[in-house]
């Protein structure tokens, strides 16, 4: 889809240095070349020189009229998603990417399109039908070249419900439709914990917590007002790096200035964290945050030692006593890179069960839904390998004894920060008593325990 209004603005900003967007076929040909999807076996200095290593999805595409920049493009599941964002200013010298607001808007729109199209990629007829509807949907999502709603799935694919202007002048652009029925609000706090543990004296273990508050508000009216509060237990670490959705109408500035880049001090904002907002029609993330929690939920130690043709492994895991001992699932996966299939395995587990993957290159230790009363579990074993084939996993980082255990778990109705939504504090200024549902969960994300008997990639190492 092309927007003459946007192209005219680009020409106004750049004058004689303006590079027009070429025809669709010429643009596609140039983009495929730049993404190395054609002629990738041929070295072309302009594209392949090491001085042009690209660290983002923003490209400079060579056209007959000159270099077209910025072109935002990425390749996912056999489809290319691309757009040319407007830079509201001169292109010489090129401005830093973070200062170009059109890039984040374009990326949000492309991700919305991908979210709408990709579930159907295995069904060609369904995918073609969805792509055919995209033109109608873009009229609503991006009518004059500025994205108004990047949640493409929430839009109606027929022209019947498209309003040239909202019937109510107070209805914000992000409320694409109005709800009829009993008011209800669903809130879910999802925290993800990342961790790197080394069990080495000179290396500091690191862990990070990322939270997101997802809301779905089914409320009548063109611009309903909702106020939601996040609360923390006494003496809990404060929320930091808070980013709010654009539908939030006002917020305490102290809430937004608390950053994890600075040490915590007494004046830091501890909440409650109030968010007044006018909700979109579909589910959305009200805010994101981080927090500096004092301990990771599971402490681990992994030792892998080669003895001749065999490998001896020991894994010890301990659930911290402050963590809720009730999992939906909890398992430790122990991959073996750059080796052949597991030919022989002898092991002993103190708790749970150990399974071998079908490819015989991965041990899966299923701990289950609870740790034992001691909160500690252990695994010891001896592994020997057959001849390596092409199908077995390789890794340039995990060579020799550099190896890891990766944990996967989910704890429902629990957050590591203690953050929760008080259902009685949710205020909705509409008639009728709304139904409020609040839930929370803690999920592992990139939770690694490295072999303490070998060197490992360091996140932080003292000088």
């Amino acid at each position: 889809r092309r927007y003459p209004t946007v192209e005219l603005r680009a020409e106004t900003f750049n004058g004689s240095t303006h590079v027009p967007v070429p025809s669709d076929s010429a643009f596609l040909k140039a983009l495929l070349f730049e993404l190395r999807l054609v002629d990738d076996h041929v070295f072309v200095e302009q594209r392949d020189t090491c001085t042009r290593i690209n660290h983002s999805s923003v490209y400079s595409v060579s056209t007959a009229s000159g270099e077209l920049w910025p072109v935002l493009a990425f390749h996912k599941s056999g489809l290319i998603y691309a757009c040319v964002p407007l830079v509201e200013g001169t292109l010489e010298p090129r401005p830093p990417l973070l200062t170009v607001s059109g890039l984040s808007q374009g990326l949000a729109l492309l991700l919305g399109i991908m979210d709408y199209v990709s579930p159907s990629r295995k069904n060609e007829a369904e995918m073609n039908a969805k792509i055919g509807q995209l033109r109608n949907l873009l009229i609503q999502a991006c009518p004059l070249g500025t994205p108004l709603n990047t949640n493409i799935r929430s839009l109606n694919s027929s022209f019947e419900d498209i309003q040239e202007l909202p019937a109510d002048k107070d209805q914000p652009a992000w409320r694409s439709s109005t709800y009829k029925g009993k008011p209800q609000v669903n809130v879910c706090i999802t925290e993800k914990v990342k961790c790197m543990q080394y069990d080495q004296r000179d290396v500091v273990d690191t862990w990070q917590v990322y939270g997101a508050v997802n809301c779905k508000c089914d409320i009548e009216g063109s611009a309903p007002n909702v106020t939601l509060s996040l609360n923390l237990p006494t003496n809990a670490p404060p929320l930091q790096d808070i980013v709010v959705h654009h539908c939030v109408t006002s917020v305490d500035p102290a809430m937004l200035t608390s950053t994890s880049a600075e040490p915590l001090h007494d004046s830091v904002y501890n909440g409650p964290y109030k968010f007044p907002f006018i909700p979109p029609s579909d589910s959305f993330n009200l805010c994101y945050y981080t927090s500096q929690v004092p301990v990771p939920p599971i402490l681990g130690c992994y030792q892998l030692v080669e003895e001749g043709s065999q490998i001896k492994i020991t894994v010890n895991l301990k659930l911290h006593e402050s963590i809720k001992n009730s999992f939906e699932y909890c398992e430790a996966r122990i991959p073996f890179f750059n080796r052949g299939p597991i030919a022989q395995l002898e092991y002993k587990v103190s708790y749970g069960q150990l399974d071998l993957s079908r490819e015989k290159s991965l041990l899966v230790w299923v701990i289950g839904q609870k740790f034992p009363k001691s909160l500690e579990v252990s695994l010891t074993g001896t592994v020997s390998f057959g001849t390596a084939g092409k199908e077995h996993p390789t890794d340039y980082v995990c060579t020799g004894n550099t190896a890891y255990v990766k944990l996967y778990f989910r704890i429902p109705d629990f957050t590591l920060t203690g953050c929760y939504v008080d259902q009685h504090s949710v205020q909705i200024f509409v008639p009728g008593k709304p139904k409020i549902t609040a839930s929370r969960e803690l999920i592992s994300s990139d939770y690694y325990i490295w072999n303490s008997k070998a060197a490992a990639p360091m996140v932080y190492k003292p000088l």
Side-chain angles (χ1 to χ4, degrees):
R1 184 171 172 82
R2 304 176 78 101
Y3 294 95
T5 49
V6 179
E7 294 189 49
L8 186 62
R9 289 184 67 199
E11 193 173 348
T12 305
F13 279 121
N14 292 288
S16 60
T17 61
H18 173 66
V19 177
V21 180
S23 66
D24 291 359
S25 58
F27 176 76
L28 177 60
K29 185 178 179 182
L31 181 62
L32 289 173
F33 178 79
E34 184 63 33
L35 294 176
R36 294 179 173 83
L37 296 174
V38 294
D39 296 336
D40 62 325
H41 60 287
V42 180
F43 177 80
V44 180
E45 186 170 352
Q46 182 186 356
R47 178 191 68 181
D48 302 319
T49 174
C50 58
T51 59
R52 276 196 66 185
I53 296 174
N54 212 41
H55 297 289
S56 69
S57 296
V58 181
Y59 297 90
S60 177
V61 174
S62 297
T63 71
S65 305
E67 291 282 316
L68 183 64
W69 183 92
V71 176
L72 181 61
F74 56 89
H75 184 232
K76 186 80 173 174
S77 304
L79 294 173
I80 299 169
Y81 300 86
C83 68
V84 184
L86 174 68
V87 178
E88 297 188 3
T90 179
L91 292 176
E92 295 295 339
R94 283 186 184 174
L97 295 183
L98 287 174
T99 65
V100 182
S101 60
L103 283 170
S104 55
Q105 293 176 342
L107 181 61
L109 184 64
L110 292 180
L111 291 175
I113 293 172
M114 185 181 77
D115 185 48
Y116 169 73
V117 171
S118 60
S120 310
R121 65 186 180 82
K122 291 182 180 176
N123 185 328
E124 194 173 342
E126 187 180 329
M127 190 172 76
N128 288 338
K130 281 195 169 184
I131 291 174
Q133 291 168 351
L134 264 180
R135 189 168 185 82
N136 294 357
L137 295 171
L138 280 172
I139 291 173
Q140 302 168 70
C142 192
L144 293 172
T146 301
L148 300 179
N149 186 351
T150 57
N151 190 346
I152 307 297
R153 283 198 296 178
S154 69
L155 302 174
N156 196 311
S157 59
S158 74
F159 278 110
E160 296 168 14
D161 294 340
I162 298 176
Q163 301 172 343
E164 289 298 321
L165 288 169
D168 188 330
K169 63 181 175 59
D170 295 325
Q171 181 173 332
W174 58 84
R175 278 186 72 81
S176 56
S177 59
T178 52
Y179 171 78
K180 298 289 183 186
K182 188 176 179 182
Q184 53 187 3
V185 174
N186 290 299
V187 186
C188 179
I189 302 174
T190 299
E191 285 188 357
K192 293 186 176 181
V193 55
K194 289 188 172 188
C195 195
M196 289 276 180
Q197 295 182 38
Y198 302 98
D199 191 37
Q200 293 185 18
R201 188 175 297 175
D202 63 333
V203 185
V204 177
D205 294 345
T206 63
W207 55 92
Q208 299 163 307
V209 179
Y210 304 88
V213 181
N214 185 267
C215 298
K216 176 74 167 73
C217 303
D218 294 324
I219 304 168
E220 290 189 356
S222 57
N225 285 295
V226 181
T227 299
L228 184 147
S229 293
L230 298 181
N231 297 277
L232 293 173
T234 310
N235 299 325
L239 305 184
Q240 296 176 289
D241 305 322
I242 297 173
V243 178
V244 298
H245 192 273
H246 60 73
C247 71
V248 175
T249 51
S250 65
V251 73
D252 190 321
M255 190 192 303
L256 302 180
T257 54
S258 176
T259 167
S260 58
E262 297 174 3
L264 292 174
H265 49 81
D266 294 338
S267 63
V268 75
Y269 191 84
N270 281 291
Y273 304 86
K274 282 196 169 186
F275 300 92
F277 59 96
I278 299 172
S281 310
D282 209 39
S283 67
F284 68 103
N285 285 329
L286 176 67
C287 70
Y288 300 91
Y289 62 85
T290 67
S291 183
Q292 298 181 46
V293 295
V295 290
I298 298 174
L299 289 164
C301 169
Y302 177 37
Q303 295 184 343
L304 179 150
V305 180
E306 285 195 61
E307 291 186 358
S309 60
Q310 291 184 328
I311 281 180
K312 287 195 171 182
I313 60 168
T314 305
V315 185
N316 294 309
L317 301 174
K318 182 179 181 181
L319 180 70
H320 194 270
E321 57 267 18
S322 65
I323 307 301
K324 181 182 177 184
N325 189 8
S326 178
F327 294 78
E328 182 182 303
Y329 57 85
C330 181
E331 65 182 45
R333 298 185 184 179
I334 310 167
F336 295 98
F337 299 105
N338 311 309
R339 305 177 191 271
I342 294 173
Q344 196 171 356
L345 172 64
E346 293 177 12
Y347 68 91
K348 181 181 178 183
V349 288
S350 67
Y351 195 78
Q353 67 180 60
L354 191 68
D355 296 325
L356 180 60
S357 70
R358 197 187 324 176
E359 307 83 32
K360 296 187 177 180
S361 59
L362 174 73
L363 297 180
V364 181
W365 181 13
V366 180
I367 296 160
Q369 296 179 318
K370 267 187 182 296
F371 274 66
K373 280 188 177 180
S374 65
L375 302 182
E376 295 186 41
V377 293
S378 63
L379 158 69
T380 56
T382 305
V383 187
S384 57
F385 301 90
T387 308
K390 287 183 180 179
E391 70 278 5
H392 291 283
T394 58
D395 193 293
Y396 295 110
V397 173
C398 298
T399 56
N401 287 356
T402 300
Y404 61 77
V405 173
K406 189 173 183 183
L407 298 188
Y408 295 82
F409 57 82
R410 178 182 180 269
I411 307 177
D413 195 28
F414 179 81
T415 50
L416 200 52
T417 59
C419 183
Y420 66 95
V421 173
D422 181 1
Q423 294 174 309
H424 302 292
S425 71
V426 178
Q427 298 175 310
I428 305 176
F429 303 98
V430 292
K433 189 176 181 182
K435 180 184 177 184
I436 313 292
T437 307
S439 60
R440 52 188 190 157
E441 61 182 358
L442 176 68
I443 301 172
S444 64
S445 170
D446 296 335
Y447 204 104
Y448 292 95
I449 299 165
W450 290 90
N451 176 23
S452 62
K453 296 291 185 181
M458 303 303 176
V459 174
Y460 165 79
K461 191 171 184 177
L463 295 172

